[in-house]
Structure formats: structure tokens, C-alpha cells
Amino acid sequence: MRRFHYTLLFLFVSCLLVKTSRADLFSDVNHAYLPGEVTSLMAGENNLPIIQVDAQSPLPLGTAVILTEPFPSSITLAEGHSLATMLSEKGWNVIISPFHLPLKEPSDDTDSNEAQEPNKDTAQIASIHPRSNSLSQHADFNATQGALQIQLNALNNFIKDRQGYRLYIAQGMVAAAYISATREQPSLYPDTFVAISPFWPELAINNQVVEHVAQSEFPVLDLSLSNFNGWATITHERRRISAKNALKLHYRQINIPNNSSYFSMTPNQKSPYIQLVANNTIGWTRHLGW
């Protein structure tokens, strides 16, 4: 549950900085690499920084796109870099694409009313159900799906002339939004998708993840982190059963022990978690005959 608690903390901090977080994130990405290592794409009205890692093979298998996000519930930039290095060693060109998770902005009306009603917040806190989840109060699924579709279109346009397969990898809330975004726009279909513990912190949307995985029109590798968080755990078995009942031909669910995931500030240090993701991804692509 440690990752879940960190997610709550990061979401709370991010909602305070929501108006500047996108610019700060992309600025941080550019500062983390040497000049020339970051390529800028236009995604809607925003500049999208991507990091490219070339395949260590004369005949690349294709392009793997890793969607990273600064929240611990997703693949971080450091983890994405480690994963990209391992995939490139197996013959994949890799693109690391940081994604900004949109959050609901506090309304101006709420801010103005706080001075007039000093006891309102206290009353609201008292009325919150003890089992309610603050994640759902800040996460905006429609905005996330829309922003992700814009980013995916930019990425697909960038790699459209490349030879080989297209592999996408995402985790947590970004993975859930990816499955929904491709369902809404079939032109975004990958050749395969690696979903790591997909979830969304709202019951109705989280239930849709099960259906969307089962009905997806592309091969899905479902990597499930043990005890990742409650939202992913409650759909874990249902995702597998639903895919089986839907007669989904290319689907595999693999459990990854929770103690294999840990935080590292050094991108060159390969965690057991990332090694498991890389090894299972390579095994999956070989199963597909690539």
C-alpha cells in the first residue's frame, strides 16, 4: 500500500500547483538531459518532450513507447529510462514520453466563499464518508483521456514511417486512460499494449477498465503488481476472467510480487521491478512471434 499512500500525497501537492505543473514537468525533463538528448514534438498547443533510445541491433523489432508520469502510481522517468535501456538491448527502438496527468482545478467561487464562510470547510470535512477516496476528488478522467489522445496522435505521427511493431507501455491511471483512449479512437491501436496494474479511482470508471481490457482489439499483456492499491486489486481477477469469457485470443496476466518495486533516484540502477517488467515484455513479444 506504500505506493498508494505516496500517490495520495503527490496528488494533494499537485492540485496546489495544477496551473504550473505542466510547464514545470516539461522544463524538468529538458533539464534532466544534455542538450540534444530531448526531442520536442507539438501535441496540440503544447511542446511534448520525448527521449529516444536507439536499439542495440542492426535490425530493430520496432518502436516501444513508454508513457511515464511523476506520480508513484505510474512509471517514473527514472524507471522509464531503465526500462528503455533493457528493451533497447533486446532490439527495440524506445521513446520515453512523459505525460502530465490533468487534475481538477479548484473553482474560483470556492476560494471566494471561504472568506465569507470560515466554518464551511470544517462542516464539509465532517460530512466526508470515512471510506471516501480523495483521489477521485482530484483526478479528471475525461481531461486525462483527451490529453492522452492528443499526445498519442503526436507520437503516432512521429513514428508512422518507422518499420516494425508498435509497443506501448503504461501503468496505473495512465494505463486505464490509454485503454479508454484507444477504444474511442481506433487509429491509435498499437500492435500490443503492456498494462501494468491499470486502475482509476472512481468505481464506475474502474469497472469499465475490466470491460475495455476484455474487448480491446489488440494483444494485451496485463502485469499485475500484488497489493498495488485497492482499486487495481478489486479488478485483478475480474480482468482475467472477463478476457477469458470474451475469448480474447492474445491476453496474458502475470503477477509481479509487490516487494519487487521500490523507488530509486538514480536512473542507471535497474530495480527488480523494472527487470521483471522488461523480461515479461520480451517474453510476451516472443510469444506473439516477433
Side-chain angles (χ1 to χ4, degrees), residues 64-270:
V65 179
I66 303 172
L67 299 172
T68 69
E69 222 281 332
F71 295 150
S73 64
S74 303
I75 301 173
T76 64
L77 187 60
E79 291 172 333
H81 192 95
S82 296
L83 180 57
T85 300
M86 284 184 269
L87 292 178
S88 69
E89 292 172 354
K90 299 300 182 180
W92 287 90
N93 289 317
V94 185
I95 293 176
I96 304 171
S97 180
F99 177 70
H100 168 73
L101 187 71
L103 300 175
K104 297 176 182 177
E105 296 188 26
S107 65
D108 295 334
D109 292 340
T110 300
D111 295 337
S112 62
N113 289 336
E114 286 179 354
Q116 301 176 8
E117 302 180 44
N119 296 324
K120 183 177 180 181
D121 289 343
T122 303
Q124 287 180 337
I125 293 173
S127 66
I128 295 177
H129 193 280
R131 296 188 64 183
S132 64
N133 192 310
S134 62
L135 273 171
S136 60
Q137 300 175 27
H138 303 308
D140 190 327
F141 183 76
N142 290 332
T144 299
Q145 178 178 303
L148 188 56
Q149 284 177 319
I150 293 174
Q151 185 158 328
L152 293 176
N153 277 300
L155 289 166
N156 281 357
N157 287 334
F158 181 72
I159 65 176
K160 65 181 180 180
D161 295 327
R162 296 190 179 188
Q163 300 295 319
Y165 301 101
R166 289 186 305 167
L167 161 68
Y168 276 78
I169 304 173
Q171 178 174 310
M173 297 165 69
V174 180
Y178 180 91
I179 296 171
S180 180
T182 53
R183 178 183 174 90
E184 294 294 327
Q185 187 178 341
S187 62
L188 296 176
Y189 284 176
D191 291 307
T192 190
F193 177 52
V194 178
I196 308 172
S197 292
F199 78 94
W200 194 266
E202 291 183 37
L203 184 59
I205 298 175
N206 202 47
N207 287 335
Q208 289 179 0
V209 173
V210 177
E211 176 186 352
H212 292 174
V213 168
Q215 297 180 358
S216 56
E217 298 292 335
F218 43 83
V220 174
L221 173 62
D222 185 347
L223 298 180
S224 182
L225 290 169
S226 301
N227 299 318
F228 179 60
N229 66 40
W231 292 104
T233 299
I234 60 176
T235 64
H236 162 71
E237 189 68 14
R238 291 166 54 198
R239 296 196 305 270
R240 183 186 64 80
I241 294 175
S242 183
K244 180 180 179 181
N245 292 341
L247 302 178
K248 183 169 177 58
L249 182 60
H250 295 299
Y251 174 84
R252 176 186 292 178
Q253 187 179 78
I254 299 175
N255 297 330
I256 296 180
N258 189 43
N259 59 8
S260 66
S261 59
Y262 74 106
F263 298 101
S264 173
M265 298 299 293
T266 57
N268 292 327
Q269 185 177 0
K270 298 181 177 66

Side-chain angles (χ1 to χ4, degrees), residues 256-287:
I256 296 180
N258 189 43
N259 59 8
S260 66
S261 59
Y262 74 106
F263 298 101
S264 173
M265 298 299 293
T266 57
N268 292 327
Q269 185 177 0
K270 298 181 177 66
S271 71
Y273 155 65
I274 290 298
Q275 290 177 346
L276 284 171
V277 171
N279 291 339
N280 282 294
T281 299
I282 296 302
W284 173 244
T285 59
R286 289 175 178 172
H287 167 74

